[in-house]
Amino acid sequence: MNPSLPSSTYGPPQQGGRPPGATETAADAPATPFVRPTFSVCIVVRDRPALLVNAVRSVLANTFGDFELVIVDDGSQVPVTQVISEARLSVDRRVRVVTQPPTGIAEARNRGLRSATGRYVTVLDSDDELTTDALARLHELLAGTGGSWVYADYTEIRRGTSRCIRLPEYDSAKRMSLGVLTRPRLPFKHSGTTIDRGLLDRIGGYDESFRLFEDVELMLRALRAGVHPRHLAHPIVLFHRHDGNVTRGRLGGLVFWFRLIDMYRPSRWPGVATAIKALRTMSETGKWLVTLGR
């Protein structure tokens, strides 16, 4: 974890207040007196106005209404406040916008965490959408099991066709950590992931030294701390696959993967890290070649 970011940095603002440095419109400020919502849905965005509008509408359409929506505008050319105002979405007082200069995904995600006030934080990528029953299903699972970290299945949509992606379940945090490091397809999707705020504060936010895979690092850190995420075996996120969300720098991203492997490999025995790195290299190279062929 980035030592310059203590876990206390991620605590919710004082009642009726805003985190230092956050810029919010008066219409989007939390109501007074402060009421803690069940969920804080956090979206980070830069220059995706049409996709963002779809994402916001999908959140507001949820049947479980006890939530706030925190949007971090990471230096968009057209301000997010303007985008949601023109789409007539800013009238919903559950929507708040925090603006900042372009700093990067990990820093922007941390800004969202500092602004969130809900008991649970639900991540949503700006080009994804929630199903209308997403928060209700998450609440049912969390309330029924006492879980503190949930990852969920999702629906992948490509060129008008869709398929449900069923994610694996693991019987221990250690086994899931190995799956994260070695599986070609990650065994979790960060979009839709929901985390108890108290737990998130204890393990800290996103490591801002990771330009890529900051979500993977957060998951691996949680697993090492003994967190055993629960799996929601129902697709609650619509993932629209397009050129903009394909990691073009897959081979360059190996630098970050190798760093993750060195940090979180399951054994210190000689050769373990090398073997996992070789497996990850083959996996990322194969995905890169598939991308080139499309």
Side-chain angles (χ1 to χ4, degrees):
M1 186 177 84
N2 190 338
S4 66
L5 296 169
S7 54
S8 60
T9 301
Y10 310 101
Q14 297 297 315
Q15 293 190 358
R18 294 194 297 270
T23 302
E24 299 181 349
T25 64
D28 293 330
T32 301
F34 175 82
V35 177
R36 180 182 177 92
T38 300
F39 293 100
S40 291
V41 181
C42 293
I43 299 176
V44 171
V45 66
R46 184 192 297 172
D47 297 329
R48 284 175 167 174
L51 293 171
L52 174 65
V53 167
N54 291 337
V56 171
R57 284 175 174 158
S58 76
V59 176
L60 297 180
N62 261 255
T63 57
F64 185 91
D66 186 19
F67 66 86
E68 66 174 357
L69 173 56
V70 178
I71 307 170
V72 180
D73 183 355
D74 188 40
S76 298
Q77 293 184 16
V78 179
V80 165
T81 51
Q82 176 182 334
V83 170
I84 65 168
S85 177
E86 291 176 350
R88 300 184 178 181
L89 298 172
S90 57
V91 295
D92 193 316
R93 293 186 62 85
R94 294 173 297 182
V95 180
R96 292 194 285 128
V97 178
V98 180
T99 63
Q100 64 176 32
T103 57
I105 184 65
E107 294 93 330
R109 289 196 193 279
N110 280 336
R111 176 59 68 87
L113 297 186
R114 290 196 295 270
S115 301
T117 63
R119 179 180 177 185
Y120 301 101
V121 174
T122 298
V123 180
L124 184 65
D125 290 341
S126 60
D127 52 351
D128 291 344
E129 299 168 33
L130 289 183
T131 60
T132 57
D133 63 345
L135 297 180
R137 288 185 178 274
L138 286 167
H139 185 258
E140 181 181 15
L141 178 63
L142 290 163
T145 64
S148 58
W149 192 301
V150 175
Y151 68 101
D153 294 343
Y154 61 98
T155 300
E156 181 181 277
I157 302 173
R158 183 204 296 269
R159 298 175 183 174
T161 62
S162 62
R163 61 169 179 157
C164 179
I165 305 299
R166 300 291 185 184
L167 296 173
E169 295 189 24
Y170 295 88
D171 58 10
S172 69
K174 185 175 181 180
R175 286 182 179 273
M176 186 170 184
S177 181
L178 182 61
V180 171
L181 291 174
T182 60
R183 282 176 59 93
R185 182 195 293 272
L186 284 173
F188 74 97
K189 183 170 177 58
H190 198 49
S191 195
T193 290
T194 299
I195 308 168
D196 182 277
R197 182 52 189 261
L199 171 61
L200 190 54
D201 286 345
R202 288 194 296 276
I203 68 171
Y206 297 88
D207 188 333
E208 295 181 4
S209 68
F210 277 82
R211 182 172 52 83
L212 295 173
F213 309 129
E214 79 292 336
D215 53 339
V216 179
E217 193 282 328
L218 180 66
M219 173 63 86
L220 287 169
R221 190 177 350 127
L223 293 168
R224 171 163 289 183
V227 176
H228 189 184
R230 295 186 180 274
H231 173 223
L232 176 56
H234 182 84
I236 62 169
V237 170
L238 302 180
F239 168 52
H240 296 274
R241 184 173 287 280
H242 53 83
D243 290 343
N245 57 29
V246 175
T247 305
R248 295 296 183 182
R250 285 197 185 276
L251 299 186
L254 283 172
V255 173
F256 293 97
W257 266 117
F258 289 174
R259 184 178 167 198
L260 287 169
I261 292 166
D262 287 334
M263 292 170 64
Y264 295 108
R265 65 184 184 270
S267 170
R268 297 295 170 180
W269 284 97
V272 172
T274 300
I276 296 177
K277 288 177 182 178
L279 185 62
R280 178 55 63 184
T281 299
M282 288 188 293
S283 172
E284 295 302 301
T285 301
K287 288 186 283 189
W288 176 67
L289 292 173
V290 170
T291 300
L292 287 180
R294 286 177 182 152

